Amino acid sequence: MKSPLKIFKLKPEERLQALIALMVIVALNALFIWRLHDLFMQPGFGPYWKTFEHEYHLSGYDPLTYLGVTDWDVIYQVYRHPLLAFMIWPLYLLNDWLSSLLGINCVQYLVALPIIVCSFYSYIFLYRIHREVIELERWDATLLTAYYFSFAYILLSLIVPDHFTISMFLLLITLYISGVCIKKGREFKWWQSALLFYITAGVTLSNGIKVFLSGFFVNLKDFFRPKYLLLAVIMPAALLWGTATWEHHQFVIPKEKVRAEQKVQKAKEEAERVAMMTPDEKRRYEAKKARREAVLRRQAAKSGTPMENHGFLKWTDITTSRWQSAYENLFGESLQFHQEFFLEDTLVHRPVFVAYRWIHSYIVEGLMLLLFGAGIWYGRKSRFLWLCLSCFGFDMMIHLILGFGINEVFIMAPHFMFVLPIATAYLLKNHGDWHNDRSAAKIRVPVPVILRLTLLLLTLYLFIYNGYLLTDFLLSPIHVVL
């Protein structure tokens, strides 16, 4: 039996481009570490945490992983990210040991390691999807993989200390395994599905559905066999839900009780302090309180109105414009950075919608969507493409229909944007070969040239445009006030 780890071994044709990709990923992470070096290189956050929270704003990405590796706790929402806190626990132990040994906080370096590894293998598995599953030529597979990594929030995901790069890696390896199974007529084993679901959904719960979709599109009617449903669907789902429930009762509820008691005590102390204020002090206090409330109202307005204020429905949004979200954020900011409010947080200063300065940005967006749509048409008979589109459709349902995270949908790009180059690959596959029939040469010969040149120019433009803005940002050190 072949070792499952063999899938991570590089193939000869991958080595050169893998080296180049790794160099780019490491360089970006080095710049990111350098930019925040003075902020994090401390024995512990302690009094530095307020400065860290104030200074760290990288779009809507949260610095929770840095906090957890510095001072471990269940810091993620347990029903959305059941296993994340336990996944970073070994990094916390290592950081704790290194901090005591060196007298500095090594959190940036330690968190960068899994980010680099997941980014690198995301590149490798997307290349293999193009090369082995869709069966493109080496040049075309390389071009489309580079095309994907030129997208704005894919480039950004290579450095952010959040869970999105890990999710991207897990989803791409799931799609690669599924594609190979479809191509070779193999079954998606129940233990593969159970393991991938538990890990993938453990990082981000909604992505676990994509593992089930993979099982369905690979196994088709065999997916509904009682044994497969029990072992590959019901058992891992129940195990993960049990893990999240235990985690909630063990870690979250005790903290909520302490916070509730502290809130009551703080309100009591504040009431006593207000009662002792002079009239002028009370006026200043009320004015400050009104400003805080205004800020909270503006933030609530950006988050939209949820369907309900409890359970999972409290994260929905029924008021934010879907159309504007689609062209400015979903297929806008995800692919091309907006220069205004660059990498600012929607819940802080950035408006929900920002317009591009130049009309050509919308032309580029439209061209990329045109290639995407044409690829869907030419790949409409591919079961693998329909698997990818079903995963994309699920994300569009939770973001555009239910409105989950719609005010900053671009930060979720690593969860679904790989469907653009995968679909475009079918357009290239159907029009990428030189035609040998002389009678049709006048019609068919220019097509592969135009397609490759268009994709090459798009890739170069996105790398230059997005890369310049990102590196310029990373080369601008922040001012730290401790």
Side-chain angles (χ1 to χ4, degrees), residues 11-210:
K11 300 172 183 178
E13 72 174 65
E14 299 170 343
R15 290 172 185 169
L16 178 59
Q17 62 177 304
L19 177 61
I20 296 171
L22 183 61
M23 289 171 62
V24 173
I25 293 167
V26 171
L28 287 174
N29 277 272
L31 287 176
F32 184 61
I33 291 173
W34 174 83
R35 185 175 190 271
L36 297 172
H37 189 271
D38 292 339
L39 184 62
F40 292 106
M41 291 297 286
Q42 305 293 339
F45 283 117
Y48 307 110
W49 173 245
K50 287 186 178 179
T51 302
F52 164 70
E53 190 177 39
H54 179 266
E55 297 290 346
Y56 178 95
H57 290 294
L58 201 64
S59 191
Y61 293 111
D62 296 321
L64 295 177
T65 304
Y66 278 164
L67 176 60
V69 173
T70 299
D71 186 13
W72 188 86
D73 199 352
V74 175
I75 50 178
Y76 306 97
Q77 213 291 329
V78 297
Y79 285 105
R80 286 166 54 189
H81 312 289
L83 299 181
L84 261 182
F86 301 108
M87 288 180 175
I88 66 171
W89 182 68
L91 292 178
Y92 157 72
L93 294 178
L94 183 56
N95 187 45
D96 187 56
W97 176 72
L98 288 173
S99 296
S100 63
L101 184 67
L102 303 175
I104 57 174
N105 189 351
C106 300
V107 61
Q108 277 190 283
Y109 299 94
L110 294 177
V111 172
L113 292 176
I115 297 299
I116 290 171
V117 171
C118 289
S119 300
F120 175 73
Y121 275 102
S122 293
Y123 182 95
I124 296 300
F125 285 115
L126 182 59
Y127 172 80
R128 289 179 183 175
I129 287 172
H130 289 137
R131 186 79 173 101
E132 300 175 25
V133 177
I134 306 176
E135 298 182 318
L136 294 180
E137 296 296 326
R138 290 172 59 179
W139 159 253
D140 293 336
T142 302
L143 176 59
L144 281 170
T145 306
Y147 174 60
Y148 173 67
F149 279 86
S150 70
F151 296 175
Y153 274 70
I154 302 307
L155 267 180
L156 184 59
S157 72
L158 305 183
I159 62 173
V160 291
D162 212 323
H163 65 275
F164 291 94
T165 306
I166 301 172
S167 292
M168 176 172 65
F169 160 71
L170 291 170
L171 291 171
L172 285 172
I173 194 173
T174 300
L175 288 177
Y176 172 68
I177 293 171
S178 302
V180 170
C181 288
I182 290 173
K183 181 183 173 183
K184 297 185 176 181
R186 296 176 182 172
E187 180 186 9
F188 200 86
K189 303 293 186 181
W190 71 264
W191 62 266
Q192 291 176 315
S193 179
L195 181 62
L196 284 170
F197 172 83
Y198 191 74
I199 297 174
T200 304
V203 174
T204 301
L205 184 64
S206 58
N207 284 333
I209 298 297
K210 299 169 188 178

